[in-house]
Structure formats: C-alpha cells, structure tokens
Amino acid sequence: MSEAHPAHSGLPALYRAEVGVFRGRWTMSVIGPDLGMAAGPNIDLGPAGNLTTACPDDPGRYLVAISGEVPVLPREGAVRVLEECGFVVEAAARDDARTDHGWTQLAITEWTAPCQPAAP
C-alpha cells in the first residue's frame, strides 16, 4: 500500500473516500477538503451482487448495528482505484482494529475511509 504524501504524513485526513451502492453497482467518490467538494471522479467499482451475512461485531461496523444480508465491500478494488487517483487510506485508520483496513460502514450499502494524497 502507498504512503501519504510527506506534507500530509502525521496530520488528520482532510479527504474521505465514499463507497456506496447505486442502482446495483458500487461507486466511489473522494470528497474534501471541504464537505460536498468532490476531489476525484465518481468511479464505478462493479456490481454489488456479492452478499454476506453481517454481524455487528465485524470490523468496520462499530458505528451501526447491521445484521442480515449485505453487499460485500469491494475493498481491494476500492483501494487500488483510490491509489490510481492519487490518494491513500490514512495510516491511523488502517491500524484501527475497529475498522476494516480503514473502512467504516455507515449504512447497509455505504462505507467511508479517511484518506490523504499519496506520496509521489
């Protein structure tokens, strides 16, 4: 995994990646540094047909109590695309045992991760 740009290393993340399901497909956007400001394109990550049975104690689900069938976050694909767009998931979030490698579930079909510009 890439590292944050030295100018952003050790600082709180100013950006966030949002991954959600829209019309049966996963899409990702990078938002920030201002709320509502898109810092990257809206990217299609593929179909959201792969389901899993969620448990509230699964990594990344500490903010919401979700159980039952939910679409599986395409985390590896999201991280790859995020890095291709010049961003990296914040190191502190990746090291947090409550998250799924930095990703936190906000709703049944919505995940977010704090991110920073990647090192050149």
Side-chain angles (χ1 to χ4, degrees):
M1 174 162 295
S2 298
E3 292 302 317
H5 190 282
H8 291 262
S9 186
L11 297 174
L14 295 175
Y15 301 86
R16 73 181 184 279
E18 293 183 352
V19 177
V21 177
F22 180 71
R23 295 185 179 172
R25 298 190 65 83
W26 285 105
T27 62
M28 182 177 72
S29 299
V30 177
I31 309 297
D34 241 348
L35 288 176
M37 175 189 273
N42 216 9
I43 300 168
D44 185 324
L45 298 176
N50 191 10
L51 301 176
T52 189
T53 301
C55 297
D57 58 344
D58 289 343
R61 295 198 170 99
Y62 68 96
L63 292 179
V64 292
I66 294 177
S67 59
E69 294 274 306
V70 296
V72 176
L73 171 70
R75 183 173 32 84
E76 291 81 13
V79 168
R80 180 181 40 75
V81 169
L82 191 61
E83 289 179 350
E84 289 171 1
C85 291
F87 292 92
V88 62
V89 174
E90 181 184 43
R94 290 192 313 254
D95 295 337
D96 188 340
R98 297 175 303 171
T99 69
D100 183 1
H101 298 275
W103 295 89
T104 302
Q105 191 168 21
L106 302 176
I108 291 174
T109 60
E110 186 178 348
W111 289 78
T112 188
C115 56
Q116 298 169 312

